[in-house]
Amino acid sequence: PAAAFREAMARARAIEPIGRRRPAWIGDIRLVARVSNDVTVDHLRSLAREVDPRQTLLYIPGWRKLPYDVLYPDYEPREGFVAWCRAAQEMGFRVMPHGNLAGIGPKSPDLPRVEGFLQTDRTSGSRVGWYLDRPDHPGQIYCMDPAAAEARRLLIERFRRAWEEVRFDALHLDYPVI
């Protein structure tokens, strides 16, 4: 056990510090603008005349085909979003869509894969999430345990698939505080 611990510590020290791994542009950001679905490329052109796009990060909560906070971890972009994202980036803006670090919808086809890794209340044993007391609410979300390897694999697969299609600059990872 002691040798394994020393080996793990040596590996940890060999990892490059996160500050050196982050993209240089992060230090240039001076404005984060929350962008609604009705913001067009023309709106972005107008914004680019008022602010420096190279110093602006666009946070987009409603970028997915599904409504906000519905049926995670489905991260399929809404129609036209990829082209919108490319246009924003061509102007110099950085794009950061919204994601959920632990959420999965009760009707998600991925639920069976991670059902054993859902967070539960320590006292009652009931599942933790949003709107679980309202069975017909579309925004129902269970919280997966982000320490569970299978839950992390699922989320990374979905985030990677979205990134490969959209090529966003950053991803906002919402984490529930329940």
Side-chain angles (χ1 to χ4, degrees), residues 73-94:
D74 183 325
Y75 291 104
E76 184 177 348
R78 64 179 156 81
E79 186 175 331
F81 182 71
V82 172
W84 183 94
C85 182
R86 296 289 181 281
Q89 290 168 324
E90 286 171 12
M91 285 182 240
F93 291 105
R94 299 295 179 165

Side-chain angles (χ1 to χ4, degrees), residues 1 36 39 47 51 87 120 126 151:
S36 65
V39 170
L47 179 61
V51 301
T120 57
S126 59

Side-chain angles (χ1 to χ4, degrees), residues 22-88:
R22 74 178 193 188
W25 64 263
I26 290 174
D28 298 333
I29 297 300
R30 298 292 176 264
L31 173 68
V32 177
R34 185 172 194 243
V35 177
S36 65
N37 290 0
D38 58 350
V39 170
T40 66
V41 172
D42 286 337
H43 291 122
L44 292 179
R45 285 188 192 102
S46 295
L47 179 61
R49 288 191 291 273
E50 303 296 325
V51 301
D52 184 347
R54 294 165 302 169
Q55 295 181 331
T56 306
L57 178 64
L58 304 175
Y59 166 54
I60 304 102
W63 67 282
R64 300 180 315 133
K65 187 175 273 189
L66 293 167
Y68 179 78
D69 267 0
V70 171
L71 206 59
Y72 289 127
D74 183 325
Y75 291 104
E76 184 177 348
R78 64 179 156 81
E79 186 175 331
F81 182 71
V82 172
W84 183 94
C85 182
R86 296 289 181 281

Side-chain angles (χ1 to χ4, degrees), residues 8-30:
M9 291 304 293
R11 279 195 311 272
R13 283 191 295 275
I15 295 174
E16 185 176 16
I18 196 160
R20 282 194 233 141
R21 289 186 287 159
R22 74 178 193 188
W25 64 263
I26 290 174
D28 298 333
I29 297 300
R30 298 292 176 264

